[in-house]
Amino acid sequence: MLAIQYKKLRIGVFRRTLVELRESLLSEALLYYPYGFFTYKSSERKILFPTGSNITFNYIDNDSDLQKHRSISYDVLMFDEAGDFTDYQLIYMKTRLRTTKAENNFKPRIYYGT
Protein backbone atom coordinates (compact mmCIF):
# COMPACT_ATOMS: atom_id res chain seq x y z
CA MET A 1 0.00 0.00 0.00
CA LEU A 2 2.91 2.38 0.66
CA ALA A 3 4.10 2.03 -2.95
CA ILE A 4 0.66 3.10 -4.14
CA GLN A 5 0.14 5.89 -1.60
CA TYR A 6 3.55 7.60 -1.92
CA LYS A 7 5.57 8.60 -4.97
CA LYS A 8 9.04 7.27 -5.75
CA LEU A 9 9.54 5.11 -2.66
CA ARG A 10 12.27 2.49 -2.63
CA ILE A 11 11.04 -0.47 -0.61
CA GLY A 12 13.29 -3.42 0.18
CA VAL A 13 11.73 -6.70 1.25
CA PHE A 14 14.05 -9.34 2.69
CA ARG A 15 14.10 -13.05 3.48
CA ARG A 16 17.06 -15.10 4.57
CA THR A 17 17.37 -17.26 1.42
CA LEU A 18 16.43 -16.90 -2.23
CA VAL A 19 14.30 -20.06 -2.09
CA GLU A 20 12.30 -18.70 0.87
CA LEU A 21 11.91 -15.40 -0.93
CA ARG A 22 10.60 -16.97 -4.14
CA GLU A 23 8.30 -19.46 -2.44
CA SER A 24 6.64 -16.97 -0.12
CA LEU A 25 6.86 -13.21 -0.45
CA LEU A 26 7.57 -12.86 -4.13
CA SER A 27 4.97 -15.31 -5.39
CA GLU A 28 2.33 -13.85 -3.04
CA ALA A 29 3.11 -10.25 -4.04
CA LEU A 30 2.72 -11.03 -7.73
CA LEU A 31 -0.74 -12.46 -7.04
CA TYR A 32 -1.78 -9.63 -4.71
CA TYR A 33 -1.74 -6.67 -7.08
CA PRO A 34 -4.26 -6.50 -9.95
CA TYR A 35 -3.00 -7.62 -13.35
CA GLY A 36 -1.77 -4.69 -15.40
CA PHE A 37 -1.36 -2.43 -12.38
CA PHE A 38 2.39 -2.95 -12.09
CA THR A 39 5.41 -3.99 -14.09
CA TYR A 40 7.55 -6.85 -12.86
CA LYS A 41 11.25 -7.08 -13.75
CA SER A 42 12.11 -10.69 -13.01
CA SER A 43 15.87 -10.28 -13.52
CA GLU A 44 15.90 -7.69 -10.71
CA ARG A 45 13.06 -9.20 -8.62
CA LYS A 46 11.47 -5.74 -8.68
CA ILE A 47 7.88 -4.54 -8.93
CA LEU A 48 7.42 -1.08 -10.45
CA PHE A 49 4.31 0.98 -9.74
CA PRO A 50 2.70 3.87 -11.67
CA THR A 51 3.63 6.17 -8.74
CA GLY A 52 7.33 5.65 -9.49
CA SER A 53 7.69 3.57 -6.32
CA ASN A 54 9.25 0.14 -6.43
CA ILE A 55 9.60 -2.93 -4.29
CA THR A 56 12.73 -5.06 -4.58
CA PHE A 57 12.74 -8.58 -3.21
CA ASN A 58 16.09 -9.49 -1.67
CA TYR A 59 17.77 -12.14 0.41
CA ILE A 60 20.65 -12.10 2.88
CA ASP A 61 21.92 -15.65 3.06
CA ASN A 62 25.22 -14.62 4.68
CA ASP A 63 27.08 -11.46 5.67
CA SER A 64 28.78 -11.14 2.28
CA ASP A 65 25.31 -10.59 0.72
CA LEU A 66 25.14 -7.31 2.63
CA GLN A 67 27.66 -5.80 0.22
CA LYS A 68 25.05 -5.97 -2.56
CA HIS A 69 23.22 -3.21 -0.68
CA ARG A 70 26.25 -1.10 0.19
CA SER A 71 25.41 1.93 -1.94
CA ILE A 72 21.63 1.52 -1.97
CA SER A 73 19.31 3.64 0.11
CA TYR A 74 15.80 2.53 1.02
CA ASP A 75 12.79 4.43 2.29
CA VAL A 76 11.25 1.28 3.76
CA LEU A 77 12.81 -1.99 4.91
CA MET A 78 10.73 -5.10 5.55
CA PHE A 79 12.15 -8.29 7.05
CA ASP A 80 10.05 -11.42 6.95
CA GLU A 81 10.98 -13.96 9.62
CA ALA A 82 13.26 -11.32 11.15
CA GLY A 83 14.42 -13.76 13.83
CA ASP A 84 16.30 -15.68 11.11
CA PHE A 85 18.64 -12.72 10.49
CA THR A 86 21.66 -12.01 12.67
CA ASP A 87 21.83 -8.83 14.72
CA TYR A 88 24.71 -7.69 12.54
CA GLN A 89 22.66 -8.11 9.36
CA LEU A 90 19.70 -6.18 10.74
CA ILE A 91 21.86 -3.36 12.08
CA TYR A 92 23.83 -3.09 8.83
CA MET A 93 20.67 -2.89 6.74
CA LYS A 94 19.29 -0.24 9.07
CA THR A 95 22.14 2.00 7.87
CA ARG A 96 20.66 1.73 4.35
CA LEU A 97 17.43 3.33 5.61
CA ARG A 98 17.61 6.93 4.54
CA THR A 99 15.25 9.03 2.53
CA THR A 100 14.96 12.41 0.85
CA LYS A 101 11.19 12.16 0.49
CA ALA A 102 10.37 15.22 2.62
CA GLU A 103 8.02 16.50 -0.11
CA ASN A 104 5.86 13.43 0.49
CA ASN A 105 5.86 14.03 4.25
CA PHE A 106 7.21 10.49 4.44
CA LYS A 107 9.18 9.11 7.36
CA PRO A 108 11.48 6.11 6.78
CA ARG A 109 10.38 2.93 8.48
CA ILE A 110 11.28 -0.67 9.19
CA TYR A 111 8.89 -3.59 9.56
CA TYR A 112 9.95 -6.83 11.25
CA GLY A 113 7.73 -9.86 10.71
CA THR A 114 7.95 -13.10 12.65
Side-chain angles (χ1 to χ4, degrees):
M1 298 308 296
L2 293 172
I4 296 167
Q5 183 179 1
Y6 294 95
K7 293 179 181 178
K8 300 180 183 177
L9 288 187
R10 293 185 64 149
I11 301 170
V13 177
F14 294 84
R15 280 295 301 252
R16 190 62 196 256
T17 69
L18 181 58
V19 172
E20 292 171 339
L21 181 69
R22 284 186 179 148
E23 297 298 320
S24 60
L25 298 175
L26 186 53
S27 61
E28 290 174 22
L30 293 174
L31 293 173
Y32 178 77
Y33 299 106
Y35 179 77
F37 184 72
F38 63 89
T39 302
Y40 177 61
K41 291 189 171 189
S42 61
S43 62
E44 300 175 47
R45 292 185 310 274
K46 183 182 286 191
I47 295 176
L48 305 170
F49 293 89
T51 59
S53 293
N54 67 68
I55 302 172
T56 57
F57 293 83
N58 309 283
Y59 64 95
I60 302 172
D61 195 21
N62 55 59
D63 289 351
S64 64
D65 290 333
L66 294 171
Q67 296 307 307
K68 297 174 191 173
H69 306 281
R70 186 174 184 189
S71 61
I72 300 174
S73 61
Y74 293 99
D75 302 298
V76 179
L77 293 172
M78 298 179 173
F79 296 93
D80 190 39
E81 298 299 338
D84 291 344
F85 295 90
T86 67
D87 289 344
Y88 175 74
Q89 292 166 343
L90 294 172
I91 290 168
Y92 180 86
M93 287 308 300
K94 190 175 180 180
T95 68
R96 308 295 93 204
L97 186 68
R98 48 193 185 233
T99 187
T100 59
K101 304 295 187 293
E103 72 276 5
N104 281 340
N105 197 28
F106 184 83
K107 295 179 181 164
R109 52 195 84 177
I110 301 175
Y111 295 95
Y112 300 102
T114 58

